[in-house]
Amino acid sequence: MSADGETIKAVKKLRQNRPNIVEALLHNPSPAFDEAIARSALSWEEYDQIVSRGSKADEIRQCLDTMDGKGEACAEKFLAILHDLRGSYPRLRSWVDNDGQRSDTCVRNVETKLDRFSNEKLLFLMKMEKSSLSEELWKEFPKLCCKAREAGLLPQCFLELFGQLIEMNADNRVDFLLNLILEGGPKNACTFWHILECDGRTRVVVEKTINKLKTNENMREMLRKYVAAKDDLSNELMKRVRIIKDYNAVPGESTDLEDRFVEPIIIKSKFGFLAGSESYENSFRDREHNLKKFDEDRVTRDDMFERQDPWVDVLSHVVVFGAPGVGKTMFSQKVVFDWTFKDGKLNKRFDFVLLFKCRNLNNVCSQTTLRDIVLNEFPCLEEVVDDMLKNSYRLLLILDALDEMKHHMDFDNVCRSPWQLHSLGGIMAGLLKGNILKCATIMVTTKLVGLRWLNHVNLDPKTTCAFEIMGFSKEETQGFFRKFYKNEEIAKQVFHHLLANDVLASLCFNPIFCWITATCLGKYFSHSNGKMSNLAPKTMTELFSQYILLHLEHHGGKIVSSSPDTLLGLCQLAFDGVKEKKILFTAEDLSDHGIMKIPPAFLSEVYQKNENKCICYHEFFHLTVQEFFAALYFFLPRCANSVDKVFARSNDADDGRYQIVRRFLSGLLAERPRSTLLSHFESLTTKPKKTIYAWLKQQNHKDLNCFHCLYELQDTDFTQAVMGDMEFVNLTQEMTSPVDCTAVVYALQTSNKPVNSWYVELGSTDSTQRMKILAPAFLLCEKLQFVKQPIGDDIEIFVEAMLSKPNRLKDLTISACMLSTNFGPTLRMLINHSNLEVLDLFNNPIGDEGLESLAVGLLPCAKLQCLLLRRCNLSHKSAPVLSNLINNSNLKVLELEDADPVMERHLKFKRGLDDLLLPYKELHRNLRQSARQLSITHFFSPAPSTFTPPASSPAILSVSSPASSPTPSTAPPPTSPSVHDVAGLSSGSSSEFEEFRDFNSSPSSSPHHHHHHHTTIIIIII
């Protein structure tokens, strides 16, 4: 009981004195914890969670949270514990003792003065009184910093910079500290007020502020209005952004944002691209293949609003850009949606969030003020708008799709006040330049082409950050399908369909294409019997034909389908744009192409500054859509142009403008896309067929895009005819993506064309995916070479594919490919069950154990004749394994190398051959037991006693025939023998080789006494 007998509830008392308790128990909280367990205020499980927090301060705070959560009775127990332990914790006596002292009265006063205010009100109160608080608390700054740190009120970065923070001596240091407190939101503001109240020196500041509220009716009313306005704004924004409408939704049907939104990959970017070239827009097509490279730079929505510099507390501009359809608008809606939740991080960071869609602002025709714009969009802010715009700290203003703003942004005549009457362009320029709302955060979303305004402003990198929305990775794509279908089984089937069709999967990094794919494919997998899945689109042309059909039916496409002139004009406009590398079209362009009514299903508006005015442009909502219409143009009966011009520049290596158009042209000859489109179009011609087929035959292997065209064409007979004359030359070196691999493999498998030699490049990213795609085509190859490729565990994928069907592989090189430790059994299975004759494992440090795992278990019937093991980190311990391998296999050539330092020392001191080969004596002793004839060839220096090896050259002994005398020779650098080299080495008779006698060979080993199978051992010593 307090001095006057008034009961103070335990939970409130713990909350009010939280900083005091943390400070009092900090040196040793264990007695309090032990007593809490003994009195059943804490369970052992709760205790274990508490002591796992890390620092003592965090443990105490977790304990108080636990007491708070368990209710009044438990809190009362803990207060009794603190009372009983007040002798151990002297700092508790100031408020725990029930002796009616002033300190206990102060606790009661805290309740009566502060507890009637909500956390939100205390936050706004701090914001309103920040200037007076800064002045009155200046001397107490170091102590307040320490208490704020103890209470966990400081951002993480200042725990490391605390020493610099506490030594601040600037006039605005308290203001800076209060901003840090405000960043943590209402709860932190409430805690800080209690810190001030519990300290004798700062208590007077709290009392003065409370008294000011009592006597100032306007101040109390403003506090009430602030809280009410924030709640009203939150409810209004929730209604606006929570529901989204799909393009193919029936009237009245809508979708919840949370049921559709998937976090895209967002990376922090730089301002190194102010102009926004179209070529950059085009490069987004290849982003899907590079997403893995950006993992380290990836950020979350919350990270985007963190301070760039710890000592600069106002983030002035956040610029978010990305490709068309990559999800910028939905992302801005998600930011707003997150803010509407009071417990969210954004809600703590900002008091108000204002979302403006620039397309809607285009309706403003006359001069206006920023104040009027805000009230026109958000009438609920009428009572606080003036104060909010005046004190704009903790205000986030979002300008979504700035590239759609039609008003000229006049940076030479900017608006400088929220109350100044000005043109909309001047007001926007003032916001972007920082002349209006200097303490607010302005977030802009735009396509890259809309970033030209950056040329007119001088943004401070410490207060400005830019982020690029990259799109979806495979994980996000899969998550999108789960949310889209709300059926795990259908989502899984569609995703697996994409995994088997990389051409379609490559589009799904872009969220809008992900939506197109999900919309078009769903109907094929919604049947439980799965019979429809075989009819699902597999090519890009099939998918876009379905997409066009979808828009014609549901999204204003009747303007196109009911007017042949509009369709012809739209397609010709698209082709002329591709031809001129143009993606933005003026109203005059549309008129010149006979487009009187703009089809909103396919064209959107974009506004750009041009000299002293803002011009309205139109664009296809994605470049790929424009390219599809460009190809469709040549299949319309009334098309007057020849398709020849599309292929005339195909040999220009620097010009890729027609690449995708050629693929669509090929695909529109296929039956399925044509039948889809003919359901809405009267007819489609086949006039381009002759030119397209002639170009594909002419291109042969000269153009990788030819394979993509064959894939879109899906004509088995024609593909076989084209591939029959094609030379396959290192095509994987030109493959930049898994999509390229898919196209090449389709052509090879369709034609069943044998490949003599293939130098495979898997690339540094997506190597596993490429291996899966390419592996079926490896069955057609006689010789495969993997050099410095990240194979690792992917060797299992390779072998599984090779053994799935009969294959032609005879020669396999896997050089410096980081083979995993379990490679041996996998490769052994390939050797045992295939026609493999040559295996080169050069520069794979498999070691003695790796060799044993490969060799032990090889079948005597295996056809392996040449095993090359240079730089494989072998020692003399492999001698028994190699001996057994030679005795029990068809091996004819075994190539070894030893880079042991002993070898180098022997070379350095010019030792004799017997010493030089000392580590191989054990190997030789095992080999002597073989019934076979043994010849050793390819060593430099036939006269070891006189040979002086070059300082940096390998030492090899060349073996001469019996009739020739030993003469020094210079050998070329050691290289792996080809199949023909192996045949040459093993085809001679025993009389062609000189008997090797350095190891006291017996007569039984002479070539003149035996005529068994010869084994050639090539030992190269570096």
Side-chain angles (χ1 to χ4, degrees):
M1 300 288 290
S2 62
D4 59 2
E6 184 176 348
T7 302
I8 301 174
K9 292 185 178 180
V11 170
K12 287 187 177 181
K13 195 169 184 179
L14 285 181
R15 292 177 182 173
Q16 295 158 4
N17 293 279
R18 184 184 181 97
N20 238 347
I21 298 172
V22 172
E23 185 177 0
L25 302 185
L26 190 60
H27 73 284
N28 183 20
S30 296
F33 293 165
D34 294 340
E35 192 67 22
I37 293 173
R39 300 192 192 185
S40 300
L42 276 180
S43 67
W44 282 107
E45 292 78 7
E46 292 167 340
Y47 174 78
D48 290 337
Q49 292 179 1
I50 289 171
V51 297
S52 66
R53 303 300 293 179
S55 68
K56 290 181 180 179
D58 287 339
E59 291 176 0
I60 299 167
R61 284 192 284 268
Q62 179 64 27
C63 177
L64 294 175
D65 288 343
T66 303
M67 297 302 163
D68 193 322
K70 295 179 76 170
E72 186 68 17
C74 193
E76 188 62 46
K77 281 185 182 181
F78 195 72
L79 279 176
I81 291 170
L82 296 179
H83 180 272
D84 294 341
L85 293 175
R86 64 190 185 280
S88 302
Y89 301 110
R91 294 187 181 185
L92 289 176
R93 291 177 180 174
S94 63
W95 63 276
V96 168
D97 286 343
N98 294 324
D99 53 6
Q101 294 181 6
R102 177 189 166 112
S103 59
D104 191 44
T105 303
C106 292
V107 173
R108 178 178 56 80
N109 288 342
V110 170
E111 181 196 18
T112 56
K113 291 180 180 179
L114 291 179
D115 279 8
R116 25 187 202 141
F117 298 106
S118 67
N119 291 350
E120 291 283 352
K121 284 188 177 181
L122 289 175
L123 182 142
F124 283 118
L125 181 62
M126 182 179 292
K127 185 177 175 182
M128 292 165 62
E129 293 296 296
K130 193 163 58 169
S131 59
S132 60
L133 290 174
S134 297
E135 183 179 344
E136 296 186 25
L137 298 175
W138 199 87
K139 291 182 179 180
E140 304 301 320
F141 176 76
K143 184 195 293 186
L144 292 176
C145 286
C146 292
K147 291 194 174 184
R149 180 179 66 170
E150 287 296 325
L153 304 182
L154 298 181
Q156 184 67 30
C157 62
F158 280 100
L159 298 182
E160 301 175 2
L161 300 171
F162 186 74
Q164 299 177 44
L165 174 65
I166 202 170
E167 292 176 2
M168 279 185 70
N169 200 36
D171 292 340
N172 68 334
R173 64 181 186 175
V174 177
D175 193 72
F176 185 82
L177 175 62
L178 293 177
N179 285 344
L180 294 180
I181 302 301
L182 289 170
E183 274 189 31
K187 189 174 181 180
N188 280 18
C190 175
T191 302
F192 191 74
W193 277 113
H194 283 292
I195 289 176
L196 296 178
E197 177 64 29
C198 291
D199 187 278
R201 293 187 178 183
T202 58
R203 184 181 302 116
V204 63
V205 177
V206 178
E207 292 175 350
K208 186 184 294 187
T209 305
I210 298 297
N211 290 333
K212 188 176 179 180
L213 268 177
K214 286 182 178 179
T215 59
N216 191 328
E217 179 66 27
N218 290 335
M219 187 174 173
R220 291 200 308 274
E221 186 65 13
M222 181 55 66
L223 200 58
R224 182 195 65 77
K225 290 177 179 178
Y226 256 123
V227 175
K230 182 174 182 179
D231 289 341
D232 291 342
L233 178 65
S234 179
N235 294 332
E236 177 64 26
L237 287 174
M238 172 69 81
K239 293 176 184 177
R240 294 189 189 186
V241 302
R242 185 174 64 86
I243 301 299
I244 59 176
K245 190 175 185 301
D246 276 340
Y247 288 140
N248 61 328
V250 298
E253 185 182 28
S254 59
T255 303
D256 196 292
L257 175 68
E258 286 290 270
D259 292 339
R260 186 58 52 83
F261 181 81
V262 175
E263 182 87 11
I265 292 179
I266 309 166
I267 64 165
K268 193 168 183 178
S269 189
K270 298 178 181 179
F271 292 109
F273 39 79
L274 302 184
S277 64
E278 293 177 14
S279 60
Y280 186 88
E281 294 279 4
N282 296 348
S283 72
F284 275 103
R285 179 177 282 123
D286 300 323
R287 290 303 172 91
E288 183 266 339
H289 315 305
N290 300 315
L291 290 179
K292 292 183 180 180
K293 299 179 182 178
F294 301 112
D295 286 345
E296 295 180 359
D297 300 323
R298 188 170 181 176
V299 298
T300 65
R301 292 190 307 281
D302 291 338
D303 296 333
M304 294 171 61
F305 299 98
E306 295 292 338
R307 56 178 69 213
Q308 301 300 291
D309 186 309
W311 306 105
V312 178
D313 53 12
V314 177
L315 186 62
S316 63
H317 291 85
V318 177
V319 181
V320 181
F321 67 95
V326 84
K328 301 179 292 298
T329 293
M330 186 175 284
F331 176 80
S332 66
Q333 288 183 234
K334 177 60 175 172
V335 169
V336 174
F337 184 77
D338 288 347
W339 176 80
T340 61
F341 291 91
K342 290 187 177 181
D343 295 333
K345 192 171 181 179
L346 283 175
N347 192 277
K348 295 176 182 178
R349 178 67 181 83
F350 299 106
D351 296 329
F352 297 100
V353 172
L354 307 178
L355 171 63
F356 295 99
K357 294 183 178 294
C358 292
R359 178 169 291 186
N360 295 340
L361 292 178
N362 290 335
N363 296 323
V364 178
C365 300
S366 58
Q367 287 194 335
T368 184
T369 66
L370 178 59
R371 180 186 186 277
D372 291 340
I373 292 174
V374 171
L375 288 181
N376 184 62
E377 193 74 18
F378 304 103
C380 60
L381 298 177
E382 184 174 6
E383 293 185 323
V384 299
V385 64
D386 291 311
D387 196 71
M388 181 188 71
L389 296 176
K390 180 180 178 181
N391 184 13
S392 60
Y393 179 66
R394 293 177 57 79
L395 168 65
L396 173 62
L397 190 148
I398 302 175
L399 299 175
D400 180 44
L402 187 65
D403 53 284
E404 296 181 359
M405 175 71 68
K406 75 175 183 180
H407 293 271
H408 164 59
M409 286 186 285
D410 190 354
F411 288 96
D412 297 324
N413 181 26
V414 300
C415 179
R416 300 184 179 277
S417 167
W419 299 273
Q420 180 184 358
L421 197 64
H422 213 288
S423 67
L424 181 66
I427 293 173
M428 293 296 108
L431 288 171
L432 298 175
K433 208 168 183 178
N435 296 99
I436 316 177
L437 307 183
K438 294 181 180 180
C439 294
T441 298
I442 309 299
M443 174 178 159
V444 174
T445 70
T446 178
K447 299 172 188 173
L448 186 76
V449 75
L451 284 177
R452 291 192 174 95
W453 61 270
L454 287 171
N455 291 317
H456 302 277
V457 298
N458 186 20
L459 297 178
D460 185 349
K462 292 182 179 180
T463 64
T464 306
C465 52
F467 300 95
E468 180 179 353
I469 299 182
M470 301 296 298
F472 289 163
S473 67
K474 285 185 178 177
E475 291 73 22
E476 280 83 35
T477 300
Q478 193 169 11
F480 179 88
F481 289 144
R482 281 196 295 267
K483 286 194 170 187
F484 184 90
Y485 294 116
K486 298 179 182 179
N487 183 310
E488 189 72 28
E489 187 59 32
I490 295 178
K492 188 183 298 183
Q493 290 181 38
V494 172
F495 187 70
H496 283 309
H497 179 76
L498 289 181
L499 291 181
N501 295 273
D502 280 273
V503 172
L504 298 186
S506 67
L507 296 171
C508 288
F509 85 96
N510 188 306
I512 193 64
F513 285 140
C514 211
W515 173 83
I516 291 173
T517 304
T519 303
C520 294
L521 293 184
K523 62 182 179 181
Y524 295 99
F525 297 92
S526 58
H527 301 277
S528 57
N529 56 19
K531 292 181 180 179
M532 294 285 289
S533 60
N534 293 330
L535 301 176
K538 296 180 181 179
T539 70
M540 194 162 60
T541 313
E542 291 176 13
L543 181 71
F544 273 80
S545 298
Q546 292 276 1
Y547 159 74
I548 296 299
L549 180 64
L550 175 72
H551 270 53
L552 290 174
E553 292 177 345
H554 297 288
H555 196 54
K558 290 182 179 179
I559 296 176
V560 176
S561 58
S562 62
S563 172
D565 290 338
T566 300
L567 175 62
L568 181 67
L570 186 67
C571 292
Q572 187 174 3
L573 177 75
F575 173 70
D576 289 342
V578 172
K579 181 175 63 176
E580 300 166 13
K581 286 193 171 182
K582 184 176 179 180
I583 62 174
L584 300 177
F585 307 96
T586 64
E588 185 179 357
D589 292 330
L590 270 62
S591 177
D592 290 344
H593 287 80
I595 302 175
M596 298 298 112
K597 288 186 177 180
I598 299 173
F602 306 113
L603 289 177
S604 60
E605 294 179 344
V606 179
Y607 295 89
Q608 281 193 15
K609 177 184 176 182
N610 185 9
E611 297 177 353
N612 294 321
K613 60 181 179 179
C614 203
I615 299 178
C616 174
Y617 291 95
H618 300 271
E619 68 170 350
F620 293 87
F621 90 88
H622 197 275
L623 177 60
T624 313
V625 176
Q626 179 180 339
E627 290 166 323
F628 180 85
F629 277 109
L632 182 61
Y633 171 58
F634 294 98
F635 289 89
L636 300 179
R638 296 171 57 193
C639 173
N641 288 320
S642 170
V643 76
D644 293 345
K645 60 180 67 179
V646 177
F647 300 99
R649 301 184 61 175
S650 62
N651 294 325
D652 187 348
D654 296 326
D655 183 56
R657 72 184 69 183
Y658 291 127
Q659 272 198 2
I660 305 299
V661 175
R662 293 188 195 112
R663 297 180 195 181
F664 281 134
L665 282 167
S666 302
L668 287 170
L669 289 173
E671 180 181 350
R672 292 184 61 186
R674 292 176 67 86
S675 61
T676 299
L677 294 175
L678 284 172
S679 64
H680 266 267
F681 301 153
E682 291 182 1
S683 63
L684 293 174
T685 183
T686 58
K687 287 189 296 183
K689 181 175 181 178
K690 184 177 180 180
T691 302
I692 295 170
Y693 274 41
W695 177 80
L696 288 171
K697 289 180 180 179
Q698 177 189 2
Q699 286 302 300
N700 220 328
H701 64 278
K702 299 174 186 176
D703 186 353
L704 186 60
N705 199 42
C706 169
F707 290 92
H708 287 281
C709 294
L710 290 174
Y711 182 84
E712 294 294 323
L713 185 61
Q714 295 286 304
D715 186 332
T716 301
D717 294 338
F718 181 74
T719 300
Q720 290 175 345
V722 171
M723 293 295 291
D725 300 327
M726 182 173 288
E727 260 182 64
F728 191 82
V729 183
N730 297 341
L731 267 178
T732 50
Q733 297 182 41
E734 301 175 18
M735 297 180 193
T736 59
S737 70
V739 183
D740 293 335
C741 300
T742 299
V744 171
V745 169
Y746 165 79
L748 288 173
Q749 288 188 298
T750 302
S751 64
N752 199 30
K753 176 180 173 59
V755 179
N756 293 327
S757 179
W758 191 347
Y759 186 92
V760 183
E761 288 197 7
L762 298 174
S764 57
T765 60
D766 297 315
S767 58
T768 299
Q769 184 182 3
R770 294 193 191 199
M771 177 67 88
K772 289 178 180 178
I773 297 170
L774 293 173
F778 293 153
L779 298 166
L780 302 169
C781 302
E782 287 189 3
K783 182 175 182 178
L784 280 172
Q785 292 177 285
F786 297 91
V787 179
K788 295 183 179 180
Q789 300 302 309
I791 291 181
D793 291 328
D794 293 347
I795 190 70
E796 297 181 6
I797 299 173
F798 168 74
V799 172
E800 182 180 354
M802 296 305 294
L803 297 179
S804 63
K805 296 178 181 178
N807 65 78
R808 303 178 70 247
L809 186 63
K810 293 184 178 180
D811 190 332
L812 175 62
T813 295
I814 304 178
S815 174
C817 289
M818 298 182 290
L819 288 176
S820 60
T821 53
N822 62 343
F823 86 97
T826 306
L827 273 182
R828 186 177 67 229
M829 188 183 304
L830 177 65
I831 296 171
N832 284 337
H833 300 92
S834 71
N835 296 316
L836 191 65
E837 297 177 355
V838 179
L839 177 60
D840 185 355
L841 297 178
F842 171 68
N843 207 13
N844 287 291
I846 61 175
D848 299 321
E849 293 183 5
L851 177 62
E852 185 175 3
S853 69
L854 172 67
V856 175
L858 278 179
L859 300 178
C861 61
K863 297 183 180 181
L864 188 67
Q865 298 181 29
C866 179
L867 180 60
L868 311 178
L869 300 172
R870 290 183 295 140
R871 296 189 186 178
C872 288
N873 200 24
L874 302 179
S875 73
H876 65 279
K877 295 180 182 179
S878 292
V881 176
L882 290 171
S883 176
N884 183 67
L885 181 63
I886 294 168
N887 290 331
N888 299 285
S889 71
N890 293 311
L891 203 63
K892 295 180 180 179
V893 176
L894 175 63
E895 185 176 85
L896 303 173
E897 174 191 78
D898 196 331
D900 193 289
V902 176
M903 300 294 98
E904 298 175 8
R905 187 164 61 253
H906 287 159
L907 288 174
K908 182 177 179 181
F909 291 101
K910 307 173 187 178
R911 303 290 293 274
L913 182 61
D914 190 57
D915 287 332
L916 188 67
L917 297 177
L918 188 61
Y920 288 99
K921 284 186 176 181
E922 184 176 346
L923 170 61
H924 181 259
R925 292 192 190 100
N926 283 275
L927 297 179
R928 284 186 61 205
Q929 307 304 318
S930 171
R932 300 180 179 182
Q933 171 57 41
L934 177 66
S935 296
I936 300 189
T937 66
H938 280 59
F939 280 87
F940 284 166
S941 179
S945 60
T946 59
F947 173 64
T948 302
S952 60
S953 299
I956 302 178
L957 172 66
S958 65
V959 180
S960 60
S961 63
S964 57
S965 60
T967 57
S969 64
T970 302
T975 57
S976 300
S978 65
V979 179
H980 303 294
D981 298 329
V982 173
L985 287 171
S986 60
S987 59
S989 65
S990 59
S991 61
E992 294 177 14
F993 299 98
E994 181 181 15
E995 182 180 6
F996 182 66
R997 306 180 188 279
D998 287 282
F999 294 136
N1000 300 318
S1001 57
S1002 63
S1004 63
S1005 65
S1006 170
H1008 304 292
H1009 289 80
H1010 296 278
H1011 302 282
H1012 298 286
H1013 177 75
H1014 291 117
T1015 299
T1016 303
I1017 311 295
I1018 306 173
I1019 306 178
I1020 302 173
I1021 307 171
I1022 298 294

